Amino acid sequence: QVQLVETGGCLVQAGGSLRLSCAASGSIFSINAMGWYRQAPGKQRELVARITSYGTTNYADYVKGRCTISRDKSKNTVYLQMNSLKPEDTAVYYCSYSSPEGDSWGQGTQVTVSS
């Protein structure tokens, strides 16, 4: 099983930036994908960005040009750099891990963007 620990969530003003980090530990399969999802109150969880072990990335349309996902394989850590934050970006952000051996989720980190 893979454990995920997210850090970096905070209160930030609209237009600001922040970086989320997610450290994975445990039985990490070499072929995997890690990503970030978010869930706002009363809404379904939705994909923000995802990166595979090959480095392939994909982003939700609403963050394209504002977010960058990256990973440090040596640290089993994935990052989400978010810029030009908007109040509608307010949500709990969850780190995800998926592989042929199974999936894991982090506990989530709160991002609040004030107007």
Side-chain angles (χ1 to χ4, degrees):
Q1 191 169 355
V2 173
Q3 295 77 44
L4 304 173
V5 178
E6 304 113 327
T7 56
C10 64
L11 172 63
V12 62
Q13 287 190 332
S17 301
L18 60 79
R19 188 176 79 158
L20 303 179
S21 300
C22 173
S25 61
S27 302
I28 297 170
F29 197 70
S30 59
I31 299 173
N32 62 67
M34 294 184 69
W36 291 93
Y37 289 72
R38 72 184 190 186
Q39 188 167 18
K43 295 187 177 182
Q44 290 189 331
R45 191 173 297 188
E46 57 184 2
L47 173 71
V48 179
R50 184 173 175 268
I51 184 167
T52 72
S53 51
Y54 299 107
T56 303
T57 60
N58 61 291
Y59 297 89
D61 287 343
Y62 56 79
V63 297
K64 283 181 179 177
R66 299 193 296 125
C67 290
T68 302
I69 190 169
S70 60
R71 67 189 297 171
D72 184 335
K73 284 188 175 182
S74 67
K75 297 180 179 179
N76 291 320
T77 299
V78 65
Y79 306 97
L80 183 69
Q81 176 69 41
M82 297 193 292
N83 303 318
S84 302
L85 284 162
K86 306 174 183 179
E88 50 264 44
D89 292 319
T90 295
V92 178
Y93 284 70
Y94 295 92
C95 181
S96 72
Y97 164 92
S98 60
S99 78
E101 293 186 328
D103 303 336
S104 295
W105 290 93
Q107 293 297 310
T109 185
Q110 177 70 46
V111 172
T112 302
V113 183
S114 63
S115 57

